[in-house]
Amino acid sequence: EPEVTQTPSHQVTQMGQEVILRCVPISNHLYFYWYRQILGQKVEFLVSFYNNEISEKSEIFDDQFSVERPDGSNFTLKIRSTKLEDSAMYFCASSPSERKQFFGPGTRLTVL
Amino acid sequence: KQEVTQIPAALSVPEGENLVLNCSFTDSAIYNLQWFRQDPGKGLTSLLLIQSSQREQTSGRLNASLDKSSGRSTLYIAASQPGDSATYLCAVKGGGSNYKLTFGKGTLLTVNP
């Protein structure tokens, strides 16, 4: 069964550094999403992406964040200058329509 | 703003017991509701999705119900097994958004052998 994949599984970075989290959505899906989960807290929506543009973003998704679909298979989340509070598990998801979302295994980001 | 609450926060049951997990949401204008399972340090596995026009969905030992007007959903697990131990998350889509899921904090289920 096709799955959403994410790399790396764990990323450690220094505060102020740029990180890129990578996702490969399920191949025939059209909608792509990023969520994050700070340890012990709820899963929070960051951004959705459809037809090569952001369709919705949360208040968390400020100018430090950007998303891109650089080719036909990858979907990336960039954090330009990481802060301590960006430490979280980041989940990518995709869906074929506006219905069920399929989640990847997550990337654990640790900012030191 | 949509808020999702899950009760109880944690539940411990002996193997074989039937159990119910609860989810409530504040804005009843939803498109759908999904139940997920999350194992420690892992991703989210979708269990069931209920469209707003539906009342329930079943998959194996799992049954999810939706009462949109009262803002409630339940996840019923029959004949629980130790392998069912995980955190169960409820998420709703809608309430002003076509795209994002709003999650509850989850119920941590422990099934004891």
Side-chain angles (χ1 to χ4, degrees):
Chain A
E1 186 173 330
E3 293 180 335
V4 176
T5 59
Q6 292 185 243
T7 55
S9 57
H10 191 191
Q11 173 96 45
V12 181
T13 190
Q14 295 291 325
M15 190 170 56
Q17 295 295 305
E18 175 182 287
V19 295
I20 297 176
L21 309 183
R22 301 179 192 279
C23 169
V24 179
I26 296 172
S27 65
N28 61 343
H29 286 188
L30 302 175
Y31 297 79
F32 314 110
Y33 314 83
W34 284 101
Y35 292 81
R36 78 173 184 189
Q37 185 179 33
I38 295 170
L39 189 64
Q41 298 189 24
K42 293 183 179 184
V43 176
E44 301 173 287
F45 170 80
L46 293 177
V47 66
S48 61
F49 192 85
Y50 171 69
N51 203 23
N52 282 320
E53 60 183 21
I54 290 174
S55 47
E56 186 175 354
K57 61 182 181 179
S58 72
E59 57 274 11
I60 302 168
F61 194 88
D62 61 21
D63 292 344
Q64 293 296 316
F65 292 89
S66 62
V67 290
E68 194 177 31
R69 189 153 161 81
D71 52 41
S73 59
N74 291 284
F75 180 50
T76 62
L77 174 69
K78 182 192 291 186
I79 308 175
R80 287 192 183 80
S81 179
T82 50
K83 308 183 186 92
L84 295 177
E85 55 265 35
D86 293 328
S87 294
M89 183 77 99
Y90 287 81
F91 293 108
C92 173
S94 68
S95 61
S97 67
E98 292 172 332
R99 292 193 170 193
K100 189 174 180 179
Q101 294 183 21
F102 296 81
F103 281 72
T107 292
R108 179 166 299 284
L109 176 65
T110 301
V111 182
L112 302 176
Chain B
K1 181 185 170 186
Q2 180 74 272
E3 296 285 345
V4 179
T5 304
Q6 291 188 245
I7 294 172
L11 182 63
S12 181
V13 300
E15 182 176 1
E17 198 160 289
N18 302 326
L19 58 101
V20 174
L21 309 180
N22 297 290
C23 171
S24 61
F25 45 94
T26 54
D27 188 335
S28 61
I30 66 168
Y31 296 115
N32 61 49
L33 182 147
Q34 258 180 284
W35 281 94
F36 292 89
R37 170 187 171 132
Q38 184 175 30
D39 292 286
K42 303 290 186 182
L44 308 177
T45 301
S46 182
L47 299 172
L48 290 164
L49 178 140
I50 311 178
Q51 296 296 337
S52 61
S53 57
Q54 297 175 319
R55 299 282 274 180
E56 64 179 305
Q57 281 287 325
T58 298
S59 175
R61 294 182 294 108
L62 306 180
N63 176 276
S65 69
L66 174 64
D67 183 343
K68 202 173 81 154
S69 60
S70 69
R72 293 182 183 180
S73 176
T74 61
L75 179 67
Y76 174 83
I77 302 177
S80 58
Q81 303 169 358
D84 294 331
S85 298
T87 296
Y88 290 80
L89 302 176
C90 166
V92 298
K93 178 188 284 188
S97 168
N98 290 333
Y99 301 100
K100 76 174 185 183
L101 290 174
T102 302
F103 282 82
K105 203 168 179 185
T107 294
L108 175 61
L109 174 65
T110 304
V111 181
N112 301 299

